[in-house]
Amino acid sequence: MNILFKNIRVINPTENFDKIVNLYIKDGIIEHCSNEECIVDSSTEIIDGSQLVAAPGFIDIHTHLREPGFEYKETIKTGTDAAANGGFTAVVCMPNTEPSIDDVTVVEYIKNKSKDLLVDVYIAGSISQKREGKLISPMLELDDAGVVMFTDDGRSIESSEMLRRAFDYATTRDLLIAEHCEDHSLTKNFAMDECELSIKLGLKGYPRIAEEIIVARDILLAEYSGNRRLHLQHISTKGSVELIRSAKMKGLRVSCEVTPHHLFLSHELLDSYNTNLKMNPPLRSKEDINALLEGIKEGIIDCIATDHAPHALHEKEVEFEKAPCGITGLETSIGLILNNLYHLFNIELSKIVELMSINPRKILNLKQIEIKKNEKANLTIFAPNEEWIVSSNKFMSISKNMPYENMKLKGRPKFAINNGKLWSSTL
Amino acid sequence: MNNDYLLSKPYLINSEDLTSEDIAAIFEKARYFLEDYPKQRKFTDLKGITVALAFFEPSTRTKLSFELAAKRLSADTISFASSSSSLTKGESLIDTLRTIEAMDVQMYVVRHANSGVPKFLQENTRGVILNAGDGKHEHPTQALLDSFTLWRHFGRVEGLKVCIAGDILHSRVARSNINVLKTLGAEVALCSPGTLLPRYLNPWNVKLIESIDDAIEWADVLLMLRLQRERMESGILPSIREFSKFYGVSLEQFSRKPDLVLMHPGPVNYGIELDYRVSSFPNCLIQTQVTHGVFIRMALLSLLSKFVAV
């Protein structure tokens, strides 16, 4: 793979780099990255980069690859293809598989299936065995096997005592605990956000406080256990932003993520009873959305996560109350973020690179990617001004459950480059 | 009456689908059936049309009422009950719909325990959908027959003070009635225990009355709701006794305002929300509601049959 991007804008906030350059990648290595002319091999593909931006490879800190256990929804292969197609060069896969990722054998299985791929697959192990919230998983052994965070994703640890043990146990290696924030006693049989519309529609509500109670508790426990590393997953409410703001002001090591759907879709849409709008946490109010956007601008929200949650058509084409939660996100995330954050809300591209590449790596203690001569090429290349229409027929994901079909977006992923491989997006 | 009137929507899913003109046309049609039925006994509005009575949730009165209505209009009917169907074998709802549709059925009367199902089905069929009650969402034919009953009793609905009392939170009857009554210009209030309608969640922006005595004093009409016994098991109320004491209507309370009109969608838990002795008073319209139900459903089937694709 030899490729030259002529006059491409390279943005790498960690190096304070933002320049138009000729970027030459040879055998997976950056051979040239400057505005000077560059001599290339005859086999080199030359691409006009004048409408393109190259950034350190984007990483999705919240992906459900579904394998092992639910290969009819997604596999490691199709999920990572979807990631590359959406412009990501790395994902963190969640442990709500079957069996769950609470044992080294499962970690090894995933590592084996994901080696030699363009997309790096980082693995989240579960906090508790079988994600039952009762006994802590073998966290040290999982850490040795390369697990980058611990979460019972999809569920909160209900027992405060159990979570405290996890924090205490994580101390010896300063491991990262991540939580899905939901007080399950308040959300039984929920179908959407609790609001006036949920009352009208006769759907059981998931009140904001169900999230905020756990956010508050987890912050308290993380602080009490010696200021542990805590990552709060897919937060959705104004109250959560406020709690995290005050935690950060106290100097606590708390981070959080937000999904594109919680940023750009609100609960009013639910009167369609469209199961592709059913998620956990549910879509919230415009007031919450504004607080999330403000949280991004202020730096309270560290990163964007897709929460890519594939489900088969037959699972979603059912009674709303019976449908599973979640939508796919890997192939729409960059488009939605560019269309909305960059074009509508005037958030700079360097900030978007921080949200989708730099900050998630910081949270996970991963090495930052450098874009300079002789470094391995790990790049996300996108066209910030190119318009496209979302069409799930072009997706690599097995599942098509998302509410953006036929939506026109400005800004699309073009290439993912990593591990000596190049993916040209089909979107 | 105008026989060419077309309802504004080719289905009946939400009570909010109905304009006041729609409701007026439905009432006129229902009155016509009510008055002519003793003479004619049988009408031909639905001749050649097959109506599926798709009751995915158990029902007695609504199902009987729709079945009679369809038959009096000369429809062919097929009946469907979830307990004896392939749903128990794991067949999906959408597949069941496709199966029925493949047998050339034109109208569907749908009852389902999940909110939103009639809308879901309507988006997936060419047939005409009538909502006969979906989860905690809507029961528009019940609301129409309730207002029809008031219209016949008072000669108007506009300006009436109607208080809906009981388990608002879980009641599709309440939701549909609030909308229809508001469309017709009635004043609506709600009276319920705090857990059966959190006070900060009032999407209709209607008056909330905090005691049944105040409700009786305020209202021309008290529309009582059935208290589902499982509410007690879930701990949302302390006891039947406490509910009955503070939110039920006793003979003594009723006697203080004998011109108060009482309605109930049935089946009534006598002794819980209503004293049994009250049921024989002339202002207690529960049986009239049942009678009117058939004619309202005849009117709806007749008006909606105009949307059957030929």
Side-chain angles (χ1 to χ4, degrees), chain B residues 133-199:
Chain B
D134 63 324
K136 302 185 286 287
H137 179 222
E138 286 251 16
H139 193 355
T141 63
Q142 178 70 44
L144 286 167
L145 74 89
D146 290 341
S147 277
F148 183 65
T149 302
L150 292 175
W151 185 63
R152 301 271 302 164
H153 186 85
F154 289 96
R156 67 184 166 98
V157 177
E158 193 175 354
L160 287 180
K161 289 179 168 174
V162 183
C163 182
I164 305 173
D167 182 0
I168 308 290
L169 187 62
H170 302 95
S171 172
R172 55 191 173 216
V173 174
R175 283 165 179 74
S176 291
N177 259 300
I178 293 167
N179 291 329
V180 168
L181 287 165
K182 283 177 82 173
T183 303
L184 294 175
E187 250 188 276
V188 182
L190 306 174
C191 178
S192 81
T195 45
L196 294 180
L197 181 67
R199 294 301 186 260

Side-chain angles (χ1 to χ4, degrees), chain B residues 8-151:
Chain B
S8 37
K9 299 267 165 68
Y11 47 76
L12 179 60
I13 292 173
N14 295 334
S15 52
E16 281 174 315
D17 293 338
L18 298 166
T19 63
S20 55
E21 291 76 27
D22 289 340
I23 297 172
I26 294 162
F27 284 6
E28 277 305 325
K29 194 89 186 168
R31 180 165 71 177
Y32 160 74
F33 285 129
L34 181 131
E35 287 171 357
D36 264 39
Y37 175 69
K39 286 177 269 172
Q40 300 207 33
R41 312 302 282 186
K42 196 86 170 175
F43 301 83
T44 55
D45 301 46
L46 263 67
K47 198 162 194 262
I49 290 176
T50 305
V51 179
L53 300 161
F55 280 69
F56 297 92
E57 183 189 65
S59 154
T60 308
R61 57 192 67 209
T62 305
K63 191 176 176 196
L64 289 175
S65 183
F66 263 112
E67 191 170 352
L68 262 182
K71 286 180 171 160
R72 285 179 185 171
L73 296 172
S74 307
D76 295 312
T77 60
I78 55 170
S79 237
F80 174 92
S82 53
S83 53
S84 58
S85 77
S86 308
L87 288 171
T88 54
K89 300 179 199 163
E91 186 179 13
S92 76
L93 179 62
I94 189 108
D95 237 24
T96 305
L97 175 76
R98 285 174 187 146
T99 305
I100 301 177
E101 189 154 52
M103 298 181 198
D104 196 24
V105 170
Q106 292 85 29
M107 298 182 86
Y108 301 82
V109 176
V110 181
R111 159 72 62 97
H112 199 286
N114 290 122
S115 304
V117 162
K119 185 171 173 65
F120 171 58
L121 295 180
Q122 189 263 324
E123 285 165 357
N124 286 285
T125 177
R126 279 168 285 113
V128 173
I129 300 279
L130 265 94
N131 184 359
D134 63 324
K136 302 185 286 287
H137 179 222
E138 286 251 16
H139 193 355
T141 63
Q142 178 70 44
L144 286 167
L145 74 89
D146 290 341
S147 277
F148 183 65
T149 302
L150 292 175
W151 185 63

Side-chain angles (χ1 to χ4, degrees), chain A residues 254-417:
Chain A
V254 172
S255 60
C256 69
E257 66 191 34
V258 67
T259 70
H261 44 276
H262 290 111
L263 279 173
F264 312 127
L265 302 176
S266 67
H267 60 204
E268 283 85 5
L269 297 167
L270 269 298
D271 72 349
S272 62
Y273 290 101
N274 178 353
T275 57
N276 283 332
L277 294 165
K278 185 175 176 185
M279 37 268 243
N280 183 350
L283 298 179
R284 303 289 190 185
S285 70
K286 297 209 165 95
E287 192 186 354
D288 292 305
I289 288 176
N290 288 336
L292 294 174
L293 288 167
E294 200 48 46
I296 282 187
K297 288 181 186 164
E298 262 186 77
I300 305 299
I301 290 169
D302 298 87
C303 64
I304 306 290
T306 71
D307 194 6
H308 179 78
H311 291 294
L313 182 61
H314 72 267
E315 295 173 305
K316 277 287 198 179
E317 207 175 59
V318 296
E319 297 88 325
F320 188 87
E321 291 174 280
K322 291 183 183 162
C325 289
I327 61 171
T328 64
L330 286 170
E331 289 167 276
T332 49
S333 189
I334 287 183
L336 290 163
I337 292 296
L338 290 172
N339 187 78
N340 294 298
L341 285 193
Y342 174 57
H343 289 292
L344 288 178
F345 298 103
N346 301 315
I347 288 176
E348 289 176 31
L349 289 177
S350 62
K351 174 83 179 175
I352 288 170
V353 174
E354 285 174 12
L355 290 164
M356 299 188 77
S357 178
I358 314 294
N359 293 351
R361 285 194 165 81
K362 268 188 203 159
I363 292 165
L364 298 168
N365 281 347
L366 297 177
K367 187 175 166 291
Q368 293 295 343
I369 291 158
E370 298 185 74
I371 306 179
K372 54 184 168 199
K373 190 171 159 61
N374 296 330
E375 287 290 332
K376 186 182 114 175
N378 182 342
L379 300 166
T380 289
I381 295 177
F382 56 91
N385 297 312
E386 188 175 322
E387 292 186 341
W388 59 294
I389 309 267
V390 178
S391 166
S392 59
N393 287 333
K394 297 177 183 168
F395 285 6
M396 292 295 130
S397 174
I398 294 175
S399 296
K400 317 287 183 196
N401 54 302
M402 49 99 218
Y404 308 115
E405 192 72 35
N406 294 324
M407 190 179 273
K408 188 172 162 186
L409 296 175
K410 190 171 184 181
R412 60 164 280 196
K414 299 293 279 187
F415 302 98
I417 299 172

Side-chain angles (χ1 to χ4, degrees), chain A residues 50-65:
Chain A
S50 60
Q51 301 299 316
L52 301 178
V53 171
F58 286 5
I59 174 170
D60 180 26
I61 197 170
H62 197 140
T63 299
H64 297 273
L65 291 179

